Amino acid sequence: MAEHNELGKLGEQLARDFLIAKGYQILEQNWVCGHKEIDIIAKDGDELVIVEVRARRTTYLVDPEETVDRYKQQFLIWAANAYVERHNLDIDVRFDIVAIVIDKNNEHRKEHIENAFYPMLH
């Protein structure tokens, strides 16, 4: 497996463990609909939380959370809508980012950004 894939899997596991420790109920991990994937789908109280995990080795050029551009946000919004429709849910949806920087010794720091972005009305 390529190093970036291993880093991504490690980041997702760290994020999952972090969210569980915060009391989130994990519903899905790596949920796929067509060509779109949601890293983690969880419940936090009465909200459905769509979590994008971004893991990096460095913040030299950009912080991990800054890589979730408008295109990626639209991608996640579309996938979240598909999940809600497929499961016939009537629930508030929130979009979070868990940014993780993992050094060469696998030491890491996490930042959880709740309500990282909001769907735009068209």
Side-chain angles (χ1 to χ4, degrees), residues 18-70:
F18 174 73
L19 293 170
I20 290 170
K22 287 182 76 170
Y24 287 55
Q25 176 189 1
I26 305 299
L27 302 176
E28 305 273 356
Q29 190 166 349
N30 303 115
W31 186 79
V32 177
C33 182
H35 296 291
K36 296 168 177 48
E37 178 182 318
I38 299 174
D39 293 332
I40 298 173
I41 301 173
K43 276 195 77 182
D44 179 28
D46 293 333
E47 289 183 302
L48 185 71
V49 185
I50 306 301
V51 182
E52 176 67 10
V53 179
R54 291 296 169 131
R56 297 286 184 267
R57 289 279 181 203
T58 181
T59 58
Y60 175 66
L61 295 175
V62 64
D63 288 327
E65 65 274 14
E66 293 176 31
T67 65
V68 183
D69 60 15
R70 192 74 198 135

Side-chain angles (χ1 to χ4, degrees), residues 5 10 16 40 45 47 52 59-60 65 89 99 102-103 112 116:
N5 290 337
L10 175 59
R16 177 186 171 97
I40 298 173
E47 289 183 302
E52 176 67 10
T59 58
Y60 175 66
E65 65 274 14
L89 300 175
I102 305 169
D103 69 18
H112 181 196

